[in-house]
Amino acid sequence: MRLPDDIGATKQLLQEGDYIADRSLATAVFLALSLERPLFLEGEAGVGKTMVATVLAETLGRRLLRLQCYEGLDVASAVYEWNYSRQMIEIRLAEVAGDVDRERLGKDIFSQEFLIERPLLQALEPHDGGPPVLLIDELDRADEPFEAYLLEVLADFQISIPEIGTIKADRPPIVIITSNRTREIHDALKRRCFYYWVDYPTAERELEILRLKAPNADIALSRQVVGFIQKLRGMDLFKLPGIAETIDWTNALTQLDALALNPETINDTLGTLLKYQDDIAKIRGSEAAKILDQVNMELAAERKG
């Protein structure tokens, strides 16, 4: 599928993958696609950063290559490594056959035939249907040396392998980088990307997301859920609920045949919404009832207005 021609088409493309984006995010995605620049998405966990990559791969019909970052991630896991066991077998076979040309054997075992390609290297190769979508997820979890290694990859879409040479992409992959901001990413990497801060959605957009992701939920229940969660995001909690928690909670309530929120139901299901016991203890009981009262009063005022 061809890339979208404008911002409206980009927003429509994302919506076809059940991703409700506001115009500013659609603009960032459109510019990244049209100018072939990596898109750096930063924001709290659970606001839909990773989904941008998966939805683009799905709607554009491209292969998705995912590199999940973690502390200690190295080149062997992210870029390539040599297949040492196959190389040893090749050496043994050469010895048995009496092949003593070490120089030629060295070239043979350090050819692409013995190369195990990881996501970054795979992303530079030609793919049927167009360049793949490369998701570098949660870059803030990786060590700074690995972040520095990415500079060459993101600037020139090429990787240098000492034994082979430089491998460069004919066409750049679609690169989506995410960060939960557990640490600051260096400016040098950000300069190579379009940057976009993914914030929590407005109540209107969150309700629209629920209609897509939890279509079986009663609309009145969905309004209460959105209102309740929007209130929670204004509180001093250790971990605020993201969009993923909104969908999980709504689906859980639907599974319990709930048509409306009440204090008892909220108390029984807070574990699908909040992920720390201190947060649950803070909200459970009178605080939950107080928030629900505020939500119901605001919804009633909207209906009258």
Side-chain angles (χ1 to χ4, degrees):
M1 184 173 179
R2 58 178 296 182
L3 298 180
D5 295 325
D6 54 35
I7 298 168
T10 305
K11 192 173 180 181
Q12 178 63 33
L13 180 77
L14 294 171
Q15 189 159 347
E16 288 172 6
D18 289 348
Y19 191 98
I20 306 298
D22 55 28
R23 185 173 175 83
S24 60
L25 175 57
T27 302
V29 173
F30 169 69
L31 291 174
L33 292 176
S34 57
L35 298 178
E36 296 184 336
R37 291 273 299 276
L39 178 60
F40 187 96
L41 299 176
E42 198 164 48
E44 299 293 337
V47 293
K49 303 184 296 295
T50 301
M51 280 296 293
V52 172
T54 57
V55 166
L56 282 178
E58 179 185 339
T59 53
L60 292 173
R62 306 292 179 87
R63 183 182 177 191
L64 176 65
L65 296 169
R66 178 171 184 165
L67 176 63
Q68 179 64 52
C69 296
Y70 53 87
E71 187 177 352
L73 178 65
D74 58 9
V75 171
S77 301
V79 190
Y80 73 92
E81 65 179 324
W82 292 106
N83 190 332
Y84 296 117
S85 58
R86 279 201 61 198
Q87 287 176 320
M88 287 303 299
I89 292 173
E90 192 72 11
I91 292 171
R92 297 285 185 244
L93 289 174
E95 289 175 346
V96 170
D99 187 349
V100 293
D101 188 343
R102 293 179 179 274
E103 184 176 352
R104 186 180 61 77
L105 182 59
K107 289 181 180 177
D108 286 345
I109 63 174
F110 286 105
S111 63
Q112 286 198 334
E113 182 183 353
F114 295 91
L115 197 64
I116 300 175
E117 298 177 347
R118 301 304 186 195
L120 289 184
L121 186 55
Q122 292 173 19
L124 303 186
E125 296 181 333
H127 291 259
D128 293 338
V133 176
L134 172 63
L135 168 63
I136 303 175
D137 209 14
E138 300 184 346
L139 179 59
D140 51 319
R141 292 180 181 273
D143 303 313
E144 291 187 11
F146 179 75
E147 183 186 321
Y149 178 86
L150 285 178
L151 296 180
E152 179 189 10
V153 180
L154 298 180
D156 301 318
F157 296 106
Q158 68 179 32
I159 287 171
S160 299
I161 301 177
E163 297 86 353
I164 294 178
T166 300
I167 296 177
K168 184 177 177 64
D170 293 334
R171 293 177 60 193
I174 298 169
V175 182
I176 306 294
I177 302 171
T178 75
S179 168
N180 293 334
R181 211 177 187 181
T182 58
R183 69 171 176 85
E184 283 295 329
I185 301 299
H186 199 278
D187 288 346
L189 189 138
K190 287 184 176 180
R191 280 199 302 271
R192 287 160 171 77
C193 309
F194 284 116
Y195 176 85
Y196 186 85
W197 173 262
V198 184
D199 210 344
Y200 292 114
T202 62
E204 182 182 359
R205 190 161 78 88
E206 192 155 32
L207 186 60
E208 199 174 349
I209 292 170
L210 273 190
R211 284 171 175 163
L212 270 177
K213 298 293 187 181
N216 295 325
D218 186 89
I219 185 61
L221 174 66
S222 294
R223 290 183 187 280
Q224 282 184 307
V225 166
V226 169
F228 194 92
I229 289 177
Q230 294 273 332
K231 295 284 184 196
L232 287 185
R233 289 184 188 139
M235 299 181 66
D236 182 21
L237 298 177
F238 184 75
K239 174 67 177 68
L240 300 178
I243 299 172
E245 282 74 32
T246 305
I247 296 169
D248 284 348
W249 194 34
T250 307
N251 283 328
L253 293 168
T254 304
Q255 195 67 27
L256 296 174
D257 297 324
L259 296 177
L261 288 180
N262 60 60
E264 183 180 11
T265 303
I266 294 173
N267 290 335
D268 291 343
T269 57
L270 272 179
T272 62
L273 184 61
L274 301 173
K275 305 303 178 183
Y276 288 87
Q277 178 54 29
D278 287 348
D279 289 344
I280 292 174
K282 189 172 185 177
I283 299 301
R284 176 176 283 154
S286 59
E287 189 63 31
K290 179 182 169 184
I291 296 171
L292 181 59
D293 286 343
Q294 293 174 350
V295 170
N296 286 336
M297 282 192 293
E298 290 175 4
L299 290 175
E302 285 180 14
R303 286 194 294 270
K304 288 179 180 177

